Every structure is written in structure tokens, then in C-alpha cells.
């Protein structure tokens, strides 16, 4: 992640506040389902964007090395990049 940028949480990305249950409210009623659906859709979209960025990066950086050791080193770097992306 570039220095000086802050990663937004899924609630901020979805543009919602944490759900506040109302007294006597039925569990997982229509309002709650709609709220959580927004969160899940935002999360799905965020994950898809991350996958696209990683895939694009890997395609841009891919090279066809004639030496198997060089190719293995590149594959290891890609694996490490995927792990780092999942941690962040």
C-alpha cells in the first residue's frame, strides 16, 4: 500500500454505520438483511478489485525466462506477493 494512504474498512466502503438493533426487532429482518447485503457486496467488490490489481501486476511483470532457476525465482516472488496482498 502506498505510503500515506489509509485502507478503508468495509463499513466505510459500503457507506454504512454499524447496525444498531432496535428494541423488539426481529432477528435478521428485512432491514438487517439489506444492511448486511450492502456490506457483503462492498466487500466482494473490494476483493475483486484487489484480485484484478494483483493479476494485472503479475501479468505486467511476467517474463519468459529460458533459465528454469530465473523462472522459479519469479514464481516465488509472485507467490510472496499474493501472501502479502492477503495479509494487508
Amino acid at each position: 500500500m502506498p505510503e500515506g494512504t489509509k485502507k478503508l474498512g468495509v463499513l466505510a466502503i459500503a457507506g454504512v454505520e454499524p447496525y444498531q438493533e432496535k428494541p423488539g426487532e426481529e432477528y435478521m429482518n428485512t432491514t438487517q438483511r439489506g444492511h448486511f447485503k450492502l456490506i457483503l457486496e462492498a466487500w466482494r467488490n473490494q476483493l475483486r478489485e484487489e484480485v484484478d490489481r494483483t493479476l494485472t501486476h503479475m501479468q505486467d511483470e511476467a517474463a519468459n525466462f529460458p533459465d528454469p532457476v530465473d523462472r522459479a525465482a519469479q514464481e516465488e516472488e509472485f507467490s510472496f506477493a499474493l501472501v502479502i496482498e492477503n495479509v494487508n
Side-chain angles (χ1 to χ4, degrees):
M1 182 171 13
E3 193 173 316
T5 61
K6 183 177 179 184
K7 193 169 189 177
L8 294 175
V10 72
L11 289 177
I13 291 169
V16 297
E17 295 292 323
Y19 190 82
Q20 299 296 320
E21 185 178 356
K22 285 120 185 118
E25 185 176 40
E26 182 183 343
Y27 178 70
M28 290 308 285
N29 60 35
T30 305
T31 305
Q32 289 178 2
R33 286 194 307 268
H35 175 83
F36 293 112
K37 184 177 180 180
L38 282 175
I39 294 171
L40 291 171
E41 286 173 347
W43 192 11
R44 179 186 60 201
N45 292 337
Q46 181 186 25
L47 290 171
R48 286 180 173 171
E49 289 171 8
E50 289 178 16
V51 166
D52 289 343
R53 273 195 308 270
T54 302
L55 182 60
T56 300
H57 170 72
M58 292 174 80
Q59 288 171 339
D60 291 346
E61 296 293 320
N64 191 7
F65 294 112
D67 183 2
V69 174
D70 290 339
R71 178 68 183 174
Q74 183 184 48
E75 291 293 330
E76 184 61 29
E77 288 174 12
F78 287 166
S79 288
F80 185 69
L82 290 173
V83 169
I84 295 300
E85 186 71 29
N86 288 329
V87 170
N88 293 329

